[in-house]
Amino acid sequence: MGRPRILILGGTGEARQLAEALATRGDCNVLLSLAGRTEKPAAQPVPVRVGGFGGAAALADFLKADGYHLLIDATHPFAERISANAAFAAEATGINTIALRRPEWQRLPGDRWRDVRSISAAIEALGPSPRHVFLATGRQGAHHAQAAPQHFYLIRSVDPVEPPPALANVDYVLDRGPFTLEGECALLKQHGIDAIIAKNSGGAATYAKIEAARLLDIEVMMVARAPASAVRTVDTVEAALAAIDHLFSPAMKRGV
């Protein structure tokens, strides 16, 4: 085998860090695939393709046609469809596959979490009385707020919510993490927030809102992840690199 060909399904900071580490080593050919949901994605250290594949079977065909040796699913923990497609493609093609998933956040003393299964369940759990809600689930989940228009919503996303939800009492913040504890505390106080809806994404970039909620005694509706797929999973970039070395070290050492 020549230089291993690796397809990374990305969109996370971990995907970028892994791509950068592999680019620095220079002993494999890497393509980073982004879904294209962010209008201005960050610069990447390896060649990039943007857009979906057209389903699980099409992803399998792409892997076979271009002779890939390894598929790495480093998408967001809540990108459930592409992760399911990756698991299908791995089984269909027999190509080695690794999922890179940062660990979930864990409840700490002082956290007021209510575990929910979805954004819509979180909206329902807010109750009938008007509340000031920080909807921190990105633009794709914003439309769920229409089911409970009695609340005030602060909606934060990287790109504008289009079309905007039909809400009378809403403010928007366009921003990209990482966020600071000081900044999150100020944001929550400014808008009088008494409930936060968040996905249990894990990682450090957006954890400050959870810390701020703990300090300010704010309830968090924590949306749980879907059950993990059967794909081999690692939880750090370093572990992913070690797994890649284990799979391909002879070919990499030859540099052919």
Side-chain angles (χ1 to χ4, degrees):
M1 182 178 70
R3 286 157 58 98
R5 292 176 59 79
I6 300 174
L7 176 64
I8 301 176
L9 305 177
T12 60
E14 289 85 0
R16 188 186 190 287
Q17 293 163 21
L18 178 60
E20 188 169 25
L22 292 171
T24 300
R25 295 184 350 175
D27 51 12
C28 54
N29 295 321
V30 179
L31 178 65
L32 178 61
S33 178
L34 302 176
R37 294 190 177 125
T38 300
E39 292 177 3
K40 296 179 181 178
Q44 302 292 340
V46 297
V48 172
R49 74 174 295 280
V50 177
F53 291 91
L59 173 57
D61 290 342
F62 181 90
L63 292 166
K64 288 187 291 186
D66 284 13
Y68 281 94
H69 303 100
L70 175 63
L71 172 64
I72 300 176
D73 175 11
T75 57
H76 190 275
F78 283 83
E80 294 161 12
R81 180 178 299 175
I82 185 62
S83 291
N85 289 350
F88 174 92
E91 185 171 355
T93 61
I95 291 171
N96 288 308
T97 304
I98 299 168
L100 173 55
R101 289 281 179 274
R102 51 185 180 250
E104 293 178 308
W105 295 321
Q106 300 298 318
R107 190 190 308 258
L108 296 179
D111 283 329
R112 292 176 55 206
W113 290 9
R114 191 184 305 192
D115 295 317
V116 292
R117 68 185 181 280
S118 64
I119 297 174
S120 58
I123 297 289
E124 184 178 353
L126 292 169
S129 299
R131 304 184 68 174
H132 280 61
V133 183
F134 180 23
L135 186 56
T137 57
R139 62 176 178 166
Q140 290 184 303
H143 66 279
H144 289 290
Q146 295 176 149
Q150 71 272 27
H151 306 299
F152 162 82
Y153 293 96
L154 174 65
I155 299 177
R156 182 166 68 193
S157 57
V158 175
D159 298 313
V161 180
E162 296 291 350
L167 296 167
N169 207 3
V170 59
D171 279 346
Y172 297 94
V173 176
L174 296 181
D175 205 355
R176 185 198 300 266
F179 301 103
T180 66
L181 177 58
E182 181 181 17
E184 297 292 68
C185 283
L187 184 70
L188 297 175
K189 290 177 181 178
Q190 176 188 347
H191 293 275
I193 298 299
D194 59 53
I196 297 173
I197 297 177
K199 297 176 180 178
N200 196 334
S201 302
T206 62
Y207 184 64
K209 65 176 175 284
I210 307 302
E211 291 183 286
R214 186 186 310 131
L215 287 174
L216 300 176
D217 195 32
I218 293 173
E219 185 176 29
V220 177
M221 308 298 179
M222 187 64 77
V223 180
R225 297 183 188 180
S229 70
V231 171
R232 177 187 177 185
T233 301
V234 296
D235 59 11
T236 65
V237 171
E238 292 74 21
L241 290 169
I244 293 168
D245 282 341
H246 180 73
L247 287 169
F248 300 127
S249 54
M252 285 181 168
K253 288 174 182 175
R254 288 198 304 270
V256 296

